Amino acid sequence: MAMVDEPLYPIALLIDELKNDDIQLRLNSIRRLSTIARALGEERTRKELIPFLSENSDDDDEVLLAMAEELGVFIPFVGGIEHAHVILPPLESLCTVEETTVREKAVDSLCKIGSQMKESDLVDSFVPLVKRLAAGEWFAARVSACGLFHVAYQGCTDVLKTELRSSYGQLCQDDMPMVRRAAASNLGKFATTLESAFLNAEIMTMFDGLTKDDQDSVRLLAVEGCAALGKLLEPQDCVARILPVIVNFSQELSTDSSQHVRSALASVIMGMAPILGKDSTIEHLLPIFLSLLKDEFPDVRLNIISKLDQVNQVIGIDLLSQSLLPAIVELAEDRHWRVRLAIIEYVPLLASQLGIGFFDDKLGALCMQWMQDKVYSIREAAANNLKRLAEEFGSEWAMQHIVPQVLDMVNNPHYLHRMMALRAISLMAPVMGSEITCSKFLPVVVEAAKDRVPNIKFNVAKLLQSLIPIVDQSVVDKTIRQCLVDLSEDPDVDVRYFANQALRSIDSAAVAQS
């Protein structure tokens, strides 16, 4: 009798644990679904476990999320691809729950299963599921349906394909903004499965409607999908079919009342340059770039700056410098520090592309100006920027254009600016080499050890420690050690600490060499 009852135990235990008041027990039970399915065998998993799970979609979100994830890899436990359709009902139920994360995971699992199903099963089971969700009364079902069309469409008959395209078009015009958002965000994926004949006739019509939606969140998602749609066509077809739509809505959205829509437009429109090619970018997109670079909202300007390298690859540095660089220089003094930071991080790339002459004329002065910015992150980025410029243009150029100004900053009345000069020296010394470090940097650093501000002095100690591997041992013994000994007797505890730490570092290096 015990032998007969044995196979019943896993399902009975599962039912018991899933009805337990303790959520952790229920969660543990769901996470053991694959183990339970193995114990039951394929047939009983299909006939008992899956129907039970289909009826058990009323639970805590955490349990349902785990169930949606487990079912995504359940095909081997129900008997392989030919039985994959039996897993669909519990996932369909999960696609209708209110919690977004559960629905998204259920859609993800359905996509995994659908992509493995045989065409006949896809038509018989998966497509009807998508149609039911798309026609669901509750908005959650319709939202979920939007993420499944690209799987359902492949392998369908022409009649079913027409129905699915029509159904998706209706979702793009749904009364609920949440559904239209889902339709907008999944349009690119759906479009990749369509025949090219329907791209311009139907998909672009849906796209056009979504870019004119009265909800800014829907327009934003439509904007983000335009590059994906553009990639589906050959460059010449993209220019003929996609560009007019993009330009039309770009002109509207660049003056859109929502800053988030303009920000998304800025990010995506830059990505369109490689797709459209040089001539179309110059003619149609460059004016939009310039307009968005002057946008009042910093994130819009940031999204343009962050993608400038893509545009440069398309239109070339000469045109970029003529048209966009004046705007970039203006942004280097932007009132929003994140915009200034983005410009600084882009400068080494600009420098390598523009060359020394153009860089010196336009951007050289700005690099030192940033060293005295009121925001620490800008000053730190500016110091790193000087190091990268020295690497790009070489030590000779740095000696002429950067080093004298950095050394002057060590005498600045503001102690924060003196600190940044020391920071720049510590970053540049490895690039400039031993000779320049000993002749130019070290005397200034030793002098800074006499500063009245303790923060300066302990930064001198840390800087001297970083110079030990760069200079000759004779310089360490003659100059650096004596300076650190003086600092180790300073009244300030932090100065003494860092000086002694640096002295120990010298002793360790000496022991290692011997």
Side-chain angles (χ1 to χ4, degrees):
M1 183 70 184
M3 291 295 288
V4 176
D5 288 342
E6 184 72 24
L8 297 174
Y9 176 70
I11 193 80
L13 179 65
L14 176 68
I15 291 168
D16 260 4
E17 289 190 349
L18 284 177
K19 290 180 178 175
N20 197 292
D21 289 339
D22 185 350
I23 185 173
Q24 197 56 49
L25 266 179
R26 300 201 303 277
L27 201 52
N28 290 342
S29 184
I30 285 295
R31 284 178 177 154
R32 288 202 309 273
L33 275 181
S34 56
T35 308
I36 293 164
R38 279 195 201 96
L40 285 172
E42 295 168 357
E43 189 174 350
R44 290 194 66 203
T45 296
R46 293 196 300 269
K47 291 183 176 176
E48 295 176 41
L49 181 57
I50 297 295
F52 171 74
L53 294 174
S54 298
E55 296 164 8
N56 196 59
S57 60
D58 185 19
D59 204 332
D60 280 57
D61 294 333
E62 201 174 350
V63 176
L64 298 180
L65 181 62
M67 188 194 300
E69 190 169 4
E70 289 289 326
L71 287 172
V73 292
F74 229 61
I75 288 178
F77 307 122
V78 296
I81 301 297
E82 58 269 27
H83 297 289
H85 62 277
V86 302
I87 311 171
L88 303 183
L91 286 170
E92 182 177 355
S93 298
L94 293 174
C95 281
T96 63
V97 301
E98 193 167 352
E99 174 55 40
T100 306
T101 54
V102 176
R103 291 200 312 269
E104 286 175 349
K105 184 53 71 177
V107 167
D108 185 47
S109 291
L110 279 169
C111 289
K112 282 182 190 172
I113 293 165
S115 62
Q116 298 176 64
M117 289 173 72
K118 295 189 296 185
E119 281 190 11
S120 58
D121 290 338
L122 205 65
V123 170
D124 294 340
S125 304
F126 199 89
V127 173
L129 176 151
V130 175
K131 287 163 72 175
R132 284 194 299 275
L133 289 173
E137 288 185 25
W138 181 235
F139 82 92
R142 304 198 298 278
V143 167
S144 297
C146 294
L148 298 170
F149 274 79
H150 67 287
V151 177
Y153 193 82
Q154 300 174 70
C156 282
T157 62
D158 289 345
V159 174
L160 278 176
K161 284 182 174 181
T162 303
E163 285 181 35
L164 288 174
R165 291 196 305 273
S166 172
S167 179
Y168 203 94
Q170 289 168 15
L171 292 171
C172 290
Q173 298 173 26
D174 198 274
D175 292 339
M176 298 292 284
M178 292 81 86
V179 178
R180 300 199 302 277
R181 279 202 295 271
S185 61
N186 285 286
L187 186 63
K189 277 194 284 190
F190 183 41
T192 59
T193 64
L194 262 65
E195 300 80 359
S196 56
F198 301 114
L199 273 176
N200 204 38
E202 298 187 30
I203 290 292
M204 293 311 295
T205 305
M206 298 177 203
F207 175 64
D208 203 23
L210 291 166
T211 61
K212 295 172 182 170
D213 197 276
D214 57 359
Q215 292 278 324
D216 67 347
S217 58
V218 178
R219 298 197 303 273
L220 186 148
L221 288 164
V223 166
E224 289 175 349
C226 72
L229 290 175
K231 287 174 185 173
L232 297 177
L233 300 173
E234 292 296 321
Q236 64 272 20
D237 292 332
C238 181
V239 171
R241 298 179 184 180
I242 303 277
L243 184 59
V245 180
I246 290 173
V247 170
N248 286 340
F249 87 71
S250 293
Q251 288 167 348
E252 293 171 21
L253 294 184
S254 62
T255 56
D256 196 285
S257 57
S258 168
Q259 62 197 28
H260 303 294
V261 173
R262 297 196 309 276
S263 181
L265 171 65
S267 180
V268 174
I269 208 85
M270 297 298 273
M272 289 302 300
I275 299 168
L276 293 174
K278 183 173 182 176
D279 293 340
S280 295
T281 297
I282 293 168
E283 185 181 350
H284 299 288
L285 298 187
L286 208 52
I288 301 168
F289 298 159
L290 290 168
S291 166
L292 292 169
L293 266 176
K294 296 171 184 172
D295 196 276
E296 62 181 355
F297 187 60
D299 278 4
V300 178
R301 304 194 294 275
L302 269 174
N303 282 340
I304 288 286
I305 296 160
S306 64
K307 300 277 177 62
L308 275 176
D309 56 324
Q310 293 182 19
V311 178
N312 175 41
Q313 289 167 15
V314 178
I315 68 173
I317 195 64
D318 292 339
L319 191 60
L320 180 71
S321 60
Q322 290 168 26
S323 56
L324 290 179
L325 204 66
I328 293 168
V329 172
E330 193 177 321
L331 289 174
E333 299 173 319
D334 196 275
R335 65 184 184 280
H336 291 277
W337 70 269
R338 285 185 303 142
V339 175
R340 298 199 300 278
L341 185 61
I343 290 288
I344 292 172
E345 288 169 350
Y346 185 64
V347 157
L349 177 64
L350 266 180
S352 65
Q353 293 167 343
L354 291 170
I356 292 179
F358 194 93
F359 179 84
D360 288 347
D361 291 344
K362 301 288 182 183
L363 295 174
L366 286 171
C367 292
M368 294 310 301
Q369 187 180 313
W370 286 320
M371 286 282 287
Q372 299 185 22
D373 197 278
K374 60 180 181 291
V375 177
Y376 169 76
S377 296
I378 301 293
R379 298 196 301 273
E380 176 66 21
N384 274 291
N385 182 44
L386 294 182
K387 173 198 169 190
R388 290 166 70 188
L389 289 172
E391 290 171 335
E392 178 64 39
F393 292 147
S395 56
E396 194 176 321
W397 176 87
M399 271 299 297
Q400 190 177 343
H401 294 90
I402 296 178
V403 172
Q405 291 161 287
V406 170
L407 297 179
D408 283 348
M409 272 186 70
V410 177
N411 300 315
N412 193 289
H414 199 309
Y415 89 95
L416 287 176
H417 297 160
R418 299 199 296 277
M419 290 250 294
M420 283 320 297
L422 294 175
R423 175 65 177 147
I425 288 171
S426 72
L427 290 167
M428 290 171 64
V431 180
M432 301 301 289
S434 175
E435 188 181 335
I436 291 172
T437 297
C438 292
S439 63
K440 298 293 180 182
F441 291 154
L442 195 55
V444 172
V445 174
V446 170
E447 188 62 30
K450 300 170 187 172
D451 201 284
R452 65 184 184 279
V453 178
N455 278 28
I456 297 289
K457 289 187 281 188
F458 77 64
N459 273 287
V460 165
K462 291 198 289 187
L463 172 50
L464 288 171
Q465 184 176 349
S466 74
L467 295 181
I468 294 167
I470 299 169
V471 300
D472 293 338
Q473 186 60 40
S474 60
V475 177
V476 174
D477 295 335
K478 182 183 172 184
T479 308
I480 292 180
R481 184 186 288 276
Q482 185 54 55
C483 185
L484 288 170
V485 168
D486 293 343
L487 287 172
S488 69
E489 297 167 359
D490 193 88
D492 187 89
V493 62
D494 290 327
V495 176
R496 293 199 302 274
Y497 171 79
F498 285 108
N500 283 316
Q501 188 180 62
L503 285 168
R504 285 195 297 274
S505 178
I506 292 175
D507 294 338
S508 300
V511 170
Q513 284 175 2
S514 63

